[in-house]
Amino acid sequence: MDLDRLLDRLRAYVEHETPTGAAEALNSFADRLLARYADLGGTARREHAATGDHVVADFPGEGPRAEEAPLLFLGHHDTVWPFGQLESMPWRERDGVVRGPGVFDMKGGLVVLEAALELVDGRDHRPVRVVVIADEEIGSPTARELVKSESADAYAAFGFESPHPNGDLKTSRRGSSRVRIEVTGREAHAALDPGTGASAIDELVDQLLVVRSLVAGYDDVLCNVGTISGGGRTNVVPGKASAELGFRFVDPETERAVLDAVTALEPVRPKARLEVSVMSNRPAWQPSEASAELLAAVAEAARSVGQTIGGAAAAGAADTNLTGGLGVPTLDGLGPRGKGAHAVHEQVIAASLAERAALVAAIITSL
């Protein structure tokens, strides 16, 4: 496999910046994918979303397996990086390592997927369906139903997110939910008439303490307060405040109990109003016998190309939460090896692009 060609494509993808929510940039990148998948023999279409279009492509099977259920490949083309990140974090290639915003999460995975499709051209295999999401980094709020519908007839689902550091695949994921708490208080002069006011900030702080106490009652629940905003002047009792929280769960029962409790929060102050909304939700993808059997088949495919592959649970969430949660045999982590997702040292081991492409090709032709 021509590694230089893979790196050229990866560089072009990385230097096409695609922040989540930047619809014009994401749609332009979707145009690239549509053309590329058509060149590879797929029938591709875009699924419109206001914050950026998703891409779906179907590749026919070949030979006696052409009518079998498809393999579903999941990826995304949005990144956490804002426009201009390339100025301080440019594409760099040195000592077999490439760096740049989105190189690991997950434009490297998109290049691996394309290279694998090239490798299986002319070989017998079941159909392949590719779904590339435009808002994965914020929980795929506009793509949830698309992933569910496109996985309905899938034989198995594979994600092209990053693998574990040693290259092993991901066999389950925590559930992930984003929750917004918005407080409306009552403004007043902080010195002359504080009693007629109701501090939205004080109310928010008290609610966050309630949430902390609630989470402490459950094992293995993670809660991160990601943003807080509100208020304006120190001499004004603040009338508005909000926070966004990220929750992680290991099982759906705990997830439901915690989210029910959080969304049922009541104001502490009579003059305050509270609105709690679930911004996005990915169900817990728990270990299953089906995924274990799929991992065994993938390990056999890996051996056929001289590789050894294992699997382990993952803490992070992705679109494979949806397929795994629906009971579709699922594995994730087929992207290249590297490190630094969402960090300024984000990087990929260049040689692993070709290695992973060979692995994915073996999966396509053997499952």
Side-chain angles (χ1 to χ4, degrees), residues 326-365:
L326 289 168
V328 178
T330 300
L331 293 171
D332 206 341
L334 285 172
R337 289 180 293 119
K339 61 182 179 181
H342 301 186
V344 294
H345 63 282
E346 184 172 5
Q347 59 190 259
V348 157
I349 299 172
S352 69
L353 292 165
E355 294 168 1
R356 299 307 256 194
L359 171 62
V360 175
I363 291 170
I364 295 172
T365 55

Side-chain angles (χ1 to χ4, degrees), residues 4-225:
D4 287 339
R5 188 163 59 88
L6 298 185
L7 290 171
D8 287 345
R9 184 167 297 279
L10 179 55
R11 179 171 187 170
Y13 283 2
V14 168
E15 292 183 343
H16 186 147
E17 294 180 297
T18 51
T20 306
E24 185 176 348
L26 287 160
N27 291 347
S28 177
F29 197 96
D31 291 338
R32 282 179 178 261
L33 294 179
L34 290 165
R36 179 69 174 139
Y37 295 154
D39 287 344
L40 291 169
T43 300
R45 71 181 195 272
R46 64 198 314 141
E47 291 287 335
H48 176 70
T51 53
D53 293 348
H54 316 300
V55 174
V56 179
D58 283 291
F59 296 84
E62 298 194 28
R65 304 171 59 198
E67 302 304 318
E68 295 181 8
L71 300 178
L72 176 64
F73 288 167
L74 296 170
H76 65 90
H77 58 301
D78 64 322
T79 76
V80 299
W81 301 107
F83 286 123
Q85 188 67 30
L86 280 165
E87 295 179 13
S88 60
M89 194 177 163
W91 169 274
R92 288 181 294 160
E93 181 182 353
R94 183 177 180 182
D95 298 330
V97 174
V98 293
R99 294 174 169 84
V103 68
F104 187 51
D105 185 15
M106 64 159 286
K107 289 174 177 175
L110 296 178
V111 172
V112 166
L113 188 160
E114 294 175 14
L117 292 171
E118 286 185 308
L119 287 174
V120 301
D121 184 37
R123 301 166 64 185
D124 290 351
H125 63 82
R126 65 174 67 238
V128 171
R129 179 173 301 145
V130 174
V131 179
V132 182
I133 302 305
D135 57 2
E136 189 276 341
E137 294 293 2
I138 57 170
S140 305
T142 70
R144 182 185 180 94
E145 294 306 315
L146 175 64
V147 172
K148 289 174 65 175
S149 65
E150 295 299 330
S151 67
D153 62 342
Y155 175 80
F158 293 92
F160 282 76
E161 296 283 358
S162 58
H164 288 293
N166 66 350
D168 281 353
L169 302 184
K170 297 174 178 179
T171 57
S172 61
R173 289 185 178 275
R174 285 178 180 261
S176 174
S177 294
R178 294 166 59 240
V179 173
R180 181 175 176 84
I181 300 176
E182 295 181 272
V183 180
T184 302
R186 181 179 294 179
E187 293 183 348
H189 195 291
L192 300 180
D193 201 18
T196 64
S199 171
I201 289 179
D202 287 349
E203 177 72 25
L204 178 61
V205 169
D206 288 343
Q207 294 295 339
L208 293 177
L209 290 174
V210 172
V211 172
R212 178 184 292 180
S213 177
L214 171 68
V215 169
Y218 294 88
D219 294 332
D220 296 321
V221 175
L222 302 178
C223 176
N224 179 59
V225 180

Side-chain angles (χ1 to χ4, degrees), residues 244-266:
E244 292 186 7
L245 295 77
F247 292 91
R248 302 295 173 118
F249 309 95
V250 295
D251 64 83
E253 293 77 22
T254 301
E255 176 183 29
R256 188 70 270 151
V258 171
L259 291 181
D260 284 349
V262 171
T263 54
L265 290 172
E266 293 289 342

